[in-house]
Amino acid sequence: MAHTDHRTMRRVLHREIAGTIGLLTDEHDFRAMRRYRSFAFADHTTYLAQVEALLRSRAAQGNHTAVALFDPEDYAAFCADTGLEPDTATSRARFTAEIATNGPSLPYDGRPLDELVPDLVDEAVRQATWEYASTLLARLGPCASCGEDIGRAAFTRAADLLVRILDTAPPGNRHLVCSVSTTPEALVAVLHADDEDSGSTRLDEAEALEFTTVLALGIATRSPGGLVMRTTADDTPDRIYGWRLRDDGLEPLTAGEVFDAYCTDVESGDLISPESGVDYGTPPDLGEEGPQPRHRH
């Protein structure tokens, strides 16, 4: 009887423990792990099917599982830094615990992996974009003329601009995209801001932080870039308008410029038919700036 009670308690405790699975999402990463003898899988399709079966099994038992991206290069570097033998399941588990704490992950919610993986990759790109933009902002250092931290001043200004953009936006669900041309490639951040029944705006804090950081980088470095917003509301046409980054602020795009941007193929330059039920317009006036003065040096 006592033995049965102990097993029951262990099963109950097992349901209380959150787990993380490090997922090899593509064939290239899977092949990289095949060099380890202790890695038991020979076929990526079979591997994904087994992972999905495990996730469903844990969910059926009431267990919470997070899914994280397992990067073989990062794993090799982790083992080298920590002195772990990479060709063991224990080392892989240690690395998975590490990425569960510091890397991008998503909770398993019952969706098939082919639906979950794109969101997981997007989360990884978003985190990488934020880390890269934050690093570049921090490297700008203080202004040689006045000593003010350039990156911090730009972030404050970007946050003020974002608040004013949302405050002056028409009601509805908003999809904002900010792009900044940096070297070696452009940075793109996306923010969703949805109206709630209470009249407040629902924002994802991580998205808002990344968006503000990328906008701040464009402002601080005076890089070419732009910001476009699309608002969707019931019984009204979608409304699209935007700004270009100019000096340390935003310059409104004309309706024609917004139309051209949305109706031109980025790669070929060919014209694309405009969407029906969409209003390509000019942005509203953003109103007065916040109390924080601009950094103009």
Side-chain angles (χ1 to χ4, degrees):
M1 180 69 177
H3 181 64
T4 302
D5 289 342
H6 286 162
R7 285 191 301 179
T8 301
M9 285 188 290
R10 281 196 295 270
R11 285 197 295 269
V12 171
L13 182 60
H14 185 67
R15 290 197 294 268
E16 301 277 339
I17 299 173
T20 302
I21 289 179
L23 182 66
L24 297 161
T25 59
D26 61 52
E27 186 75 36
H28 178 269
D29 287 346
F30 181 83
R31 287 198 303 269
M33 292 302 294
R34 289 275 297 133
R35 68 178 180 266
Y36 301 120
R37 290 185 177 181
S38 60
F39 186 74
F41 294 94
D43 174 78
H44 189 228
T45 301
T46 302
Y47 161 81
L48 291 176
Q50 290 296 322
V51 170
E52 189 159 2
L54 175 60
L55 288 169
R56 288 176 177 169
S57 174
R58 286 180 55 84
Q61 296 169 12
N63 296 319
H64 171 86
T65 311
V67 183
L69 288 179
F70 193 106
D71 185 289
E73 292 185 6
D74 290 346
Y75 173 63
F78 172 79
C79 290
D81 291 341
T82 57
L84 292 175
E85 165 54 49
D87 198 359
T88 68
T90 302
S91 296
R92 290 193 290 275
R94 283 274 301 273
F95 177 68
T96 299
E98 179 75 14
I99 59 178
T101 302
N102 301 314
S105 64
L106 289 177
Y108 177 67
D109 55 8
R111 284 182 292 165
L113 279 185
D114 58 1
E115 295 181 13
L116 182 67
V117 166
D119 287 346
L120 181 59
V121 173
D122 287 346
E123 180 70 17
V125 171
R126 189 176 76 181
Q127 181 168 321
T129 298
W130 172 74
E131 290 175 351
Y132 181 68
S134 298
T135 299
L136 293 183
L137 273 180
R139 287 177 180 173
L140 295 176
C143 173
S145 299
C146 68
E148 183 177 18
D149 187 285
I150 297 173
R152 185 177 295 114
F155 188 90
T156 300
R157 174 146 178 75
D160 176 67
L161 285 169
L162 179 57
V163 169
R164 288 155 60 200
I165 287 170
L166 294 176
D167 284 348
T168 58
N173 296 331
R174 302 136 203 165
H175 179 84
L176 295 87
V177 179
C178 179
S179 60
V180 175
S181 296
T182 60
T183 302
E185 61 185 24
L187 295 180
V188 178
V190 176
L191 176 64
H192 299 86
D194 297 338
D195 280 348
E196 297 192 308
D197 294 338
S198 62
S200 61
T201 299
R202 183 174 70 251
L203 292 174
D204 181 282
E205 292 185 3
E207 277 191 357
L209 178 60
E210 181 212 350
F211 191 92
T212 306
T213 303
V214 170
L215 178 57
L217 181 63
I219 290 172
T221 58
R222 305 197 175 213
S223 300
L227 192 158
V228 175
M229 176 156 69
R230 180 172 188 149
T231 302
T232 302
D234 293 336
D235 303 322
T236 61
D238 283 10
R239 185 176 176 185
I240 301 175
Y241 56 79
W243 301 261
R244 67 169 54 86
L245 287 175
R246 179 60 56 88
D247 295 330
D248 63 344
L250 298 174
E251 179 181 86
L253 296 172
T254 66
E257 288 173 324
V258 175
F259 180 89
D260 289 343
Y262 267 82
C263 299
T264 303
D265 186 274
V266 176
E267 295 183 359
S268 68
D270 295 336
L271 293 178
I272 303 173
S273 298
E275 296 182 60
S276 61
V278 174
D279 176 19
Y280 302 93
T282 56
D285 184 272
L286 295 181
E288 297 295 326
E289 291 189 38
Q292 183 73 17
R294 296 190 186 188
H295 180 268
R296 297 184 179 277
H297 295 130

